[in-house]
C-alpha cells in the first residue's frame, strides 16, 4: 500500500489480503463455535470492498468501520495476531481484550475503530476528515457502513456536513442486501443508497462489490478527489454476506438458496484469481503459495491468541480515562 | 411456591410474547414496531423470519399481520418518534429498542417528546407508548451492547420505568405497560431472557401494578434490594446468608418510576439495614437514589449506613474474566451484607 | 376548511387567515416588548405557507410544527384567545400556560403541537400518519419545519420510513433562507431541500412561498396523494421571515437591506389581496372589513389573555403523568 | 475578597470567551464548532454576525478565521460526532451544544463514542473533546430549553463533567477542559451568563483543577452544597442563616465527575449536617448521589439525615409563576437548613 497502479504487485497484494480475510474469518468462526467468543459478524463474501479501497490508502489515512469490520482491519494492515487475540479477549489484543470483535482499532495503522452502534461511526469519520482539512494534510478518511446503516440519520447529516465543508471523506456503503433479516429492498426507499448523494451535491457511485477491480477503480477516483480537496464521494458496493448475520442464525430463514448461489458463484476471490491467472500476473503455484502462507499466518494468529493471557483483573478499571482526578 | 400440577412455567421470552399477543388480541390499537421483529421485510415466503432479535415477538406477524407488526429500518429516532406520534394520535404502540445503549440515537424522541408532551400541552394529549429494551452485561457483547442505563430514564419526569425479574412479572408488567396511558419503558435483562423460573405464570392475562415492588422473602436482619437480574443475585445471596443464620428480606423493586418508597422504607424500618444491588453504573444511579431515600427518610431506624453493590464506574469490558468482575455477584452481595451485619 | 376549490370563498378564507396571523404576530411582539414573554419567534412574512396547505385539511387531519408555529396554529383553526393566553403563560391557554409560545397544541383541532427541538416533530408526524394508515382512515399528517431543520437526521429517517410505508404525510419545509444567522446556502449541501426527495423515491416540489395560490396548488396535489394512499410528498416553500430569529436580534447583522426589500416587496398578503381584487372575488370594502375584524379579534385575544389568571401553584406538579402510582 | 484596584471583573460570558481565545492562541489544534458560533455562514460581509447564541464565541472568527471557528448546520449528531472524530485524530475541538436538552439528538456520539473509545481501544486512542452546553431554567423557555441534566452525563464512565459558578472558575474550568485529554462537558447555567461577580478574574490564562471543589465560606454548623447557579443560592441562604447566628460552610462542587468526595466528607465530618442544593431533576441525580455518599461514608458523623433541595419531579413549566416554583430558592434552602439545624 498504496497501490496507485493496477499491476501484478497490487493484484497480488489484493489477492493475499482477501485470502487472509477469508481464512481469518473461517478461523474466528471456529473459535466462536468452540465457545471462545459470542456473536461474531463474519465478513466472508465481502472481502473485495475494503481491499479495493484500502489499496489506495497509506498508514496516515484513516478507516472507520462497523460491527462487521474484521475485513476492514485486515485490509488496512492490522496485525492479525493482535486481532485474533482481541477476539478472544486477551491482553495482547488490539484493545487489550477490552473492546472485542466489534471494537478493533489500531491508531498507528490508521484504523480508528470498528463500532457496534449502526451508523455511529459515520460522523466520527467526518471529524477525522475535518482534522485533515484543518491541518492541511492530504489524509483521507474512509468510513464503511452497511445498507441497514444507510437508514440512520447521521449518514444524511454527515453527507451534508462533508458536502458543505468539502471534506476528504469517502462514504462506502457495503450493500450486502440484508440488515439482519431485513432485505435491502424493504428498508431503503427509492431502492438505491448511491442515488441519495445527488441531494447533497456530491458524487454517488454504484459498483459491483464482488469485483475488486471495479472497486479499485472507483476507489481510486474517490481517493483522488479527496486528496485534491474536491470533497466527499459516496460509493455503494453491491456485495453479499455468505453467512448469517452473527453466525448462529440461518440466513435461509430470510433468503433463498437460489439467491445465495447466484452471489456465491460470483465469489470475489475466485474472480480475482481468474483475472490474475488470465493476465499472467502470477501463476497457479505462486497463488497456491500465497494461500498456504495465509493459512499459516492465520493458524499462527490463532495459536498466538489462544496462548496469550487474559487481562489482569485491575484492567477492569484502567483506560476509562486518560487521567481521573 | 411448591410445584404443583397446575404450575405453569414459561420462559421470560415466552412471557413477554404472551403479553404482547394477548394485548394485541384484546385491543386493535396495539401495534408493535422494531428491527426484525418479524423479519424478512415483506417477502411473502419469509414471514416471521426472525421474530425479534431475542424472539420476543415470534409468531406475532402470523397472527396479526404486517399492518400491526412492523419491521423497521435501522432508524431508531425515526421509528421511536413514530411511536410517539402514533401514541398521541390514537394507537398504543409497543416499540422495540433492541439494546438500551441505542437510546443514544433516539433520546430526543423519548425525553423531549414522549416524556414532555402531556405536560407541555396542558394534559390534553396522552402518549400511551411502550418501549421495550434489552439491558445488561454478561453476554460478551462489550461496552456498547451491555449497558443497563435505566437510571437515566428514571431521572426524567414524564417517563415510567419498570424492570421485570422473572416471567411472572415480565408478563404482568408488560401488560400493565401497554394499558398504561403514560409512556412506559420496560427494561428486560438479557441474562434472564432464556430462563424459566419456579413461579407460576397464569395463562390468562393479568397485570402487575406499575409502582409496586415485591417481597420475595420476609426477614428480620437485613434487606437486600434487587432490580431485575440482581434480584436473582440477591436471592442466591440470601440463601447463603440464611445458611449462616441470618433472616433476610429480599425486595424486588420492579418499578423504578414510580418507585414503591413505602415498601423500601417499611422494610428498612424493620431490618434496619439495607444492601442495594444494582448492575447499572454507580454514579447518579437508582442505587444512589434508593440509598439517599433510605438515608433521609429512615435515618433514625438505620443501624448501619445503607450499602450499595453496583457495577464499577467503568465501561463494560469485552474480555470475559473482566466482564465477570463487572456484574454484581452473590459473593459480593454476601460480603457487603456481612459488613453491614457485623 | 377544507377548500377543495379555489374560489371566492377559499380566497377570502385565506386572506382572513393570513391577516389574522400577521395581526396576531404584531400583537405578540408587543406583548413580548412589554416583557410579558421572552424569545418569541415571529412568523411574519411566512403566513402563506400553512394557509395554502391547511386550506385542504379538515379538523381530523393533523398539523405538527416547530418553535415558529403561531401561523401553523392559526391556519389550522386554533382559538387565538387561547393561543395568546398560552403566550402569556395563563391558565386559559391551550396548554394551561405550561407549554408557552413554542408548545402550542390543540388536539381537538388536529394541531398536535409546536416543538422547540429543531426537526424533532418530523418523526412524530410520521407516526401520526402511521395511525391513519393502521386505522384505515383518510387522515393526512402535515409537518412544517425550517430550512435549518432539513439538516437534522430525522428528516432523512422519516422520509425513508414514510417512503417505504407509503404514509399519508406531507413534509413542508419553510425555507425562509435562514436558520438563526446561518444562511441556507451555507448549510444545505446541494442547494435544495426538495431535491433530496428523489433519493427516497418520493416527489419533491419547490414552490414560491409568497404565493399562497401556488402553495394551494401543490398542497392540493400532495393532500390528494396522501388521501389516496399514494404516499408522502416533500414540499419546499421558498419564503422569508421579516423579523429577527427570536425578536431581539437584528437580522441586518447577517443579511442585506436589499435582500429584505426584495422579499418584502413580494409580500404574501399584498399579493393575495391584489389577486382577489383583480379577479373580483371581493372588493376593497369587504377586505377592509376583514382587516378590521382581524384586528379586533386579535385585540380581544390580547385582552382575554391579559385578563386571564396565571395557573395555580399546584399546576406545577400536575399533568406530568396521566396517573402516577 | 475586597475589591481593590487590581480586581478585574468580567462577566461569565467574557470569561469563557477569554478562555477560548487564549487556548486557541496557545494551541493551533484547538477549534470551535457549533450553530451560529460565528454566524453569517461564509458571507464575507457578515463575519461574526452572531458570535454564538449566548455570545460566548464573539470575535473568535475574526481572530482565528473560519477554518478554526466553524458554523455548523443544525445537525448535532453530525457535528458532535465530528468533534469526537477530530479529537481522536489530533485536534482539540470545542463543540457548542446550545442547550443541554439537545443532547437527545446526539447522545450516541457522546456516550457511546466519546466516552467509550478510550476504553474499548485499550487506552490507545484519546478523545480530548470539550463540549460546552447551556443549562437551567429561569428564562421563560419552557420544558425543552431549560433542563439541567448533568446528572445523566455524570452517570457515564468515561466523561468528565464540570459546572462553573462564576466567571473566575468558568474561565479556569474551560481552560482545564480544553487541555484535558479526556472528553469534558462544561455545563454553563444561563442565569449566570450575563452576570459579573466580585471575584477577580486574572487576565492571564490559568486552570481550575477538574475534580476540585471550592469552599466559598468556612463554617461549623452546617454545610450547604451548591452546583453552578445554586452555589449562588446557597450563598444567599448562608447570609440569611448567618444573620440568625449560624456558622455556615458553603461548598461549591464545580466538578461532578470526578467529584471531590474528600471535600464533601471532610466538610460534613465537621458540620455534621448537609443540605444539597441542585436544580436538576431529583431522581437518580447528582443530589441523590451526594446524599448517598454522605450517608454511607459519613454516617457516624451525621447529626441529621442529609437533605436535598432540588427541582421537583416535573417538567420545567413555561408560565413564570410556575417556573419560579421550579428552581431552588434561598427561601427553600433556608427552610431546609433550619429543619436540619433544629
Ligand atoms: C443503532 C443500532 N441499531 C440496531 C443495532 C443492531 N444491529 C446490529 S447489526 C444490525 C444490522 C446492520 O445491517 P447493515 O448496516 O446492513 O450491516 P451488515 O450487518 O449487513 O454488515 C443491527 C440492526 C445496532 N447495533 N445499532
Ligand atoms: C436540535 C436543536 N438544535 C438547535 C436549536 C436552536 N435553534 C432554535 S431555532 C433554530 C434555527 C432553526 O432554523 P430553521 O429550521 O430554518 O427554522 P426558522 O427559525 O428559520 O423558522 C435553532 C438553531 C434547537 N431548538 N434544537
Ligand atoms: Mg447489510
Ligand atoms: Mg429558516
Amino acid at each position: 500500500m498504496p497501490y496507485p497502479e493496477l499491476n501484478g504487485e497490487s493484484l497480488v497484494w489484493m489477492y493475499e489480503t482477501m485470502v487472509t480475510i477469508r481464512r481469518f474469518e473461517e478461523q474466528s468462526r471456529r473459535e466462536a463455535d468452540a465457545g471462545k467468543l459470542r456473536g461474531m459478524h463474519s465478513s466472508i463474501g465481502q472481502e473485495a470492498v475494503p481491499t479495493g479501497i484500502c489499496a489506495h490508502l497509506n498508514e496516515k489515512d484513516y478507516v472507520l468501520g462497523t460491527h462487521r469490520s474484521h475485513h476492514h482491519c485486515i485490509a488496512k494492515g492490522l496485525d492479525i495476531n493482535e486481532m485474533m487475540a482481541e477476539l478472544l479477549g486477551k491482553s495482547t489484543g488490539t484493545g487489550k481484550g477490552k473492546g472485542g470483535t466489534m471494537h478493533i482499532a489500531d491508531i498507528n495503522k490508521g484504523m480508528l475503530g470498528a463500532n457496534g452502534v449502526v451508523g455511529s461511526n459515520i460522523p466520527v469519520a467526518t471529524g477525522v476528515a475535518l482534522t485533515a482539512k484543518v491541518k492541511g494534510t492530504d489524509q483521507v478518511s474512509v468510513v464503511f457502513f452497511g445498507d441497514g446503516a444507510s437508514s440512520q440519520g447521521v449518514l444524511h447529516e454527515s453527507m451534508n456536513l462533508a458536502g458543505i465543508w468539502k471534506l476528504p471523506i469517502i462514504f462506502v456503503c457495503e450493500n450486502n442486501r440484508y440488515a439482519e433479516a431485513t432485505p435491502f429492498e424493504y428498508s431503503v426507499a427509492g431502492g438505491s443508497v448511491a442515488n441519495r448523494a445527488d441531494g447533497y451535491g456530491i458524487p454517488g457511485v454504484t459498483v459491483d462489490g464482488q469485483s475488486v477491480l471495479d472497486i479499485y477503480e472507483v476507489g481510486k477516483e474517490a481517493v483522488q478527489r479527496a486528496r485534491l480537496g474536491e470533497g466527499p464521494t459516496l460509493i455503494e458496493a453491491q456485495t453479499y454476506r455468505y453467512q448469517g448475520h452473527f453466525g448462529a442464525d440461518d440466513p435461509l430463514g430470510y433468503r433463498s438458496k437460489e439467491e445465495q448461489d447466484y452471489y456465491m458463484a460470483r465469489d470475489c476471490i475466485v474472480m480475482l484469481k481468474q483475472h490474475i491467472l488470465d493476465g499472467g500476473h502470477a501463476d497457479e503455484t505462486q497463488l497456491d503459495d500465497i494461500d498456504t502462507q495465509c493459512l499459516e499466518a492465520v493458524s499462527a494468529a490463532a495459536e498466538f491468541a489462544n496462548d496469550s493471557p487474559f487481562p489482569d483483573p485491575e484492567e477492569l478499571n484502567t483506560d476509562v480515562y486518560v487521567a481521573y482526578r | 411456591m411448591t410445584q404443583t400440577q397446575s404450575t405453569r412455567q414459561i420462559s421470560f421470552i415466552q412471557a413477554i410474547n404472551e403479553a404482547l399477543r394477548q394485548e394485541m388480541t384484546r385491543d386493535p390499537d396495539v401495534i408493535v414496531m422494531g428491527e426484525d421483529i418479524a423479519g424478512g421485510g415483506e417477502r411473502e415466503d419469509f414471514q416471521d423470519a426472525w421474530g425479534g432479535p431475542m424472539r420476543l415477538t415470534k409468531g406475532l406477524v402470523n397472527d396479526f399481520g404486517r399492518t400491526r407488526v412492523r419491521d423497521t429500518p435501522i432508524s431508531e429516532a425515526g421509528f421511536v418518534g413514530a411511536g410517539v406520534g402514533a401514541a398521541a394520535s390514537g394507537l398504543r404502540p409497543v416499540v422495540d429498542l433492541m439494546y438500551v445503549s441505542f437510546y443514544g440515537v433516539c433520546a430526543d424522541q423519548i425525553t423531549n417528546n414522549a416524556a414532555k408532551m402531556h405536560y407541555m400541552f396542558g394534559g390534553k394529549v396522552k402518549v400511551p407508548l411502550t418501549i421495550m429494551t434489552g439491558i445488561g452485561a454478561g453476554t460478551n457483547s462489550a461496552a456498547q451492547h451491555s449497558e443497563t442505563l435505566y437510571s437515566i430514564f428514571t431521572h426524567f419526569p414524564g417517563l415510567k420505568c419498570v424492570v421485570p425479574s422473572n416471567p411472572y412479572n415480565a408478563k404482568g408488567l408488560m401488560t400493565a405497560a401497554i394499558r398504561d396511558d403514560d409512556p412506559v419503558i420496560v427494561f428486560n435483562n438479557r441474562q434472564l431472557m432464556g430462563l424459566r423460573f419456579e413461579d407460576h405464570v397464569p395463562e390468562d392475562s393479568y397485570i402487575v401494578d406499575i409502582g409496586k415492588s415485591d417481597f420475595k422473602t420476609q426477614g428480620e436482619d437485613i434487606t437486600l434490594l434487587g432490580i431485575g437480574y440482581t434480584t436473582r443475585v440477591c436471592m442466591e445471596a440470601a440463601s447463603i446468608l440464611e445458611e449462616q443464620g441470618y433472616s433476610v428480606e429480599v425486595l424486588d423493586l420492579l418499578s423504578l418510576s414510580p418507585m414503591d418508597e413505602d415498601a423500601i422504607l417499611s422494610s428498612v424500618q424493620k431490618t434496619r439495614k439495607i444492601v442495594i444491588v444494582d448492575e447499572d453504573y454507580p454514579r447518579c444511579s437508582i442505587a444512589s437514589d434508593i440509598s439517599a431515600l433510605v438515608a433521609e427518610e429512615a435515618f433514625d431506624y438505620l443501624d448501619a449506613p445503607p450499602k450499595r453493590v453496583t457495577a464499577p464506574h467503568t465501561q463494560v469490558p469485552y474480555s470475559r474474566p473482566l466482564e465477570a468482575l463487572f456484574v454484581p455477584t452473590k459473593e459480593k452481595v454476601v460480603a457487603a451484607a456481612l459488613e453491614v451485619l457485623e
Side-chain angles (χ1 to χ4, degrees), chain A, chain B:
Chain A
M1 294 186 296
Y3 295 99
E5 293 309 320
L6 203 49
N7 55 24
E9 195 194 353
S10 57
L11 288 168
V12 167
W13 176 84
M14 291 199 283
Y15 181 78
E16 187 185 328
T17 301
M18 286 160 61
V19 173
T20 304
I21 294 170
R22 185 150 309 174
R23 294 296 95 78
F24 184 90
E25 293 296 60
E26 286 163 358
Q27 184 62 35
S28 4
R29 176 65 64 221
R30 280 189 287 274
E31 302 292 345
D33 289 347
K36 294 185 205 153
L37 68 152
R38 267 169 74 166
M40 105 107 216
H41 306 91
S42 159
S43 65
I44 291 184
Q46 307 180 198
E47 294 89 346
V49 187
T51 302
I53 303 284
C54 291
H56 304 287
L57 305 181
N58 60 52
E59 290 199 346
K60 297 211 161 139
D61 296 318
Y62 284 101
V63 158
L64 292 96
T66 67
H67 57 287
R68 189 185 311 284
S69 256
H70 300 167
H71 55 329
H72 309 140
C73 295
I74 293 174
K76 195 65 177 56
L78 266 62
D79 183 292
I80 61 169
N81 288 4
E82 293 179 19
M83 283 179 61
M84 192 61 85
E86 188 64 24
L87 262 59
L88 301 196
K90 299 301 183 72
S91 64
T92 52
T94 46
K96 303 183 189 162
K98 296 182 180 189
T101 161
M102 284 195 287
H103 307 293
I104 297 178
D106 185 346
I107 188 135
N108 295 323
K109 297 276 171 57
M111 174 67 202
L112 203 42
N115 194 317
V117 181
V118 167
S120 188
N121 248 352
I122 302 174
V124 180
T126 307
V128 170
L130 177 61
T131 298
K133 177 107 178 180
V134 170
K135 295 202 174 220
T137 71
D138 73 344
Q139 286 161 296
V140 174
S141 173
V142 177
V143 61
F144 293 96
F145 56 93
D147 47 298
S150 76
S151 297
Q152 282 287 10
V154 282
L155 172 58
H156 156 102
E157 298 189 11
S158 301
M159 286 201 294
N160 190 51
L161 215 51
I164 64 167
W165 288 348
K166 283 202 178 306
L167 297 181
I169 182 168
I170 308 175
F171 301 101
V172 184
C173 177
E174 281 178 78
N175 182 349
N176 63 6
R177 312 209 75 77
Y178 293 89
E180 293 183 354
T182 298
F184 162 75
E185 73 269 13
Y186 173 79
S187 68
V188 177
S192 159
V193 175
N195 281 357
R196 294 193 177 161
D198 288 356
Y200 303 88
I202 66 179
V205 205
T206 304
V207 62
D208 177 357
Q210 299 315 96
S211 163
V212 72
L213 304 177
D214 288 4
I215 296 164
Y216 180 93
E217 288 308 326
V218 303
K220 181 173 182 167
E221 204 168 315
V223 170
Q224 234 157 34
R225 254 181 71 76
R227 288 214 202 284
L228 293 174
E230 292 168 9
T233 304
L234 169 63
I235 297 172
E236 177 182 351
Q238 302 196 311
T239 180
Y240 205 69
R241 83 167 134 73
Y242 290 4
Q243 304 191 344
H245 170 66
F246 62 93
D249 57 318
D250 177 8
L252 290 176
Y254 47 85
R255 68 192 194 190
S256 70
K257 183 79 173 55
E258 295 70 55
E259 185 191 285
Q260 284 193 182
D261 290 347
Y262 169 81
Y263 281 98
M264 292 184 188
R266 301 190 66 257
D267 183 74
C268 57
I269 295 178
V270 173
M271 279 168 41
L272 175 61
K273 183 171 182 175
Q274 201 57 51
H275 177 85
I276 291 175
L277 294 176
D278 289 353
H281 303 291
D283 65 22
E284 194 88 46
T285 336
Q286 289 171 297
L287 295 187
D288 286 352
D289 283 353
I290 292 178
D291 288 350
T292 314
Q293 283 158 27
C294 292
L295 196 59
E296 284 171 3
V298 166
S299 300
E303 209 177 300
F304 172 82
N306 276 290
D307 290 351
S308 291
F310 281 111
D312 289 337
E314 53 272 26
E315 286 289 336
L316 173 64
N317 296 304
T318 59
D319 301 323
V320 183
Y321 296 91
V322 177
Y324 201 52
R325 214 155 295 224
Chain B
M1 186 184 299
T2 55
Q3 188 166 337
T4 68
Q5 281 292 63
S6 71
T7 299
R8 177 170 174 267
Q9 292 178 2
I10 59 177
S11 76
F12 200 95
I13 292 174
Q14 289 166 318
I16 289 175
N17 188 278
E18 194 165 280
L20 286 167
R21 175 169 281 107
Q22 288 175 344
E23 289 312 292
M24 291 190 81
T25 306
R26 181 176 176 268
D27 182 349
D29 290 338
V30 177
I31 67 165
V32 188
M33 290 195 276
E35 292 151 14
D36 293 301
I37 59 154
E42 275 165 347
R43 292 186 178 173
E44 294 284 321
D45 37 348
F46 294 111
Q47 287 299 307
D48 205 28
W50 204 270
M54 328 256 171
R55 309 300 183 261
L56 294 174
T57 48
K58 192 79 190 163
L60 294 181
V61 72
N62 293 325
D63 293 359
F64 303 101
R66 289 215 167 256
T67 301
R68 294 177 63 199
V69 181
R70 307 187 79 92
D71 279 338
T72 63
I74 310 175
S75 311
E76 283 83 357
F79 70 76
V80 171
V84 175
S89 56
L91 294 178
R92 291 190 170 271
V94 178
V95 174
D96 182 33
L97 179 65
M98 204 181 291
Y99 294 113
V100 73
S101 299
F102 308 159
Y103 93 97
V105 299
C106 58
D108 178 52
Q109 295 302 324
I110 302 173
T111 69
N112 285 326
N113 290 341
K116 297 189 171 66
M117 282 168 77
H118 187 63
Y119 190 86
M120 296 192 305
F121 302 158
K124 294 170 189 168
V125 173
K126 292 178 190 172
V127 186
L129 170 72
T130 300
I131 296 175
M132 59 181 183
T133 187
I135 61 169
T139 65
N140 199 206
S141 306
Q144 293 176 335
H145 286 70
S146 308
E147 289 176 293
T148 293
L149 296 194
Y150 38 52
S151 302
I152 65 172
F153 297 95
T154 302
H155 185 63
F156 285 93
L159 300 176
K160 292 177 178 171
C161 301
V162 299
V163 189
S165 65
N166 67 29
Y168 173 79
N169 54 46
K171 179 173 171 183
L173 285 169
M174 190 56 156
T175 305
I178 295 172
R179 295 189 195 169
D180 199 283
D181 277 340
D182 290 306
V184 182
I185 311 182
V186 182
F187 297 87
N188 295 315
N189 184 288
R190 292 168 62 206
Q191 295 209 68
L192 297 177
M193 286 283 173
L195 301 182
R196 282 158 191 268
F197 287 68
E198 283 184 11
D199 311 67
H200 171 64
V201 182
E203 196 149 357
D204 284 350
S205 170
Y206 59 91
I207 270 184
V208 167
D209 281 332
I210 294 176
K212 289 293 275 180
S213 58
D214 179 28
F215 285 101
K216 305 292 290 183
T217 66
Q218 311 271 343
E220 304 294 326
D221 298 335
I222 190 167
T223 302
L224 302 183
L225 185 146
I227 303 170
Y229 174 76
T230 61
T231 295
R232 209 174 151 77
V233 177
C234 287
M235 292 295 285
E236 292 166 352
S239 305
I240 298 172
L241 289 165
E242 277 171 6
E243 278 167 23
Q244 301 184 19
Y246 295 106
S247 163
V248 181
E249 183 144 304
V250 175
L251 182 59
D252 184 6
L253 191 60
L254 294 179
S255 283
L256 312 196
S257 180
M259 183 163 79
D260 195 347
E261 299 187 357
D262 291 348
I264 298 170
L265 294 174
S266 72
S267 178
V268 171
Q269 282 165 13
K270 179 173 61 169
T271 64
R272 298 175 165 264
K273 295 165 223 77
I274 185 166
V275 176
I276 302 150
V277 188
D278 179 35
E279 190 185 320
D280 204 353
Y281 300 128
R283 300 293 316 280
C284 302
S285 65
I286 187 71
S288 18
D289 203 68
I290 296 167
S291 175
L293 171 78
V294 169
E296 295 178 32
E297 303 294 325
F299 189 72
D300 294 336
Y301 294 89
L302 288 172
D303 283 348
K307 188 143 190 89
R308 289 170 284 176
V309 176
T310 68
H313 185 67
T314 180
Q315 311 302 339
V316 184
Y318 171 79
S319 188
R320 287 180 186 175
L322 295 185
E323 192 185 22
L325 299 172
F326 182 89
V327 184
T329 56
K330 59 176 184 288
E331 292 78 16
K332 283 186 195 153
V333 176
V334 168
L338 291 176
E339 225 180 275
V340 172
L341 284 162
E342 282 153 16

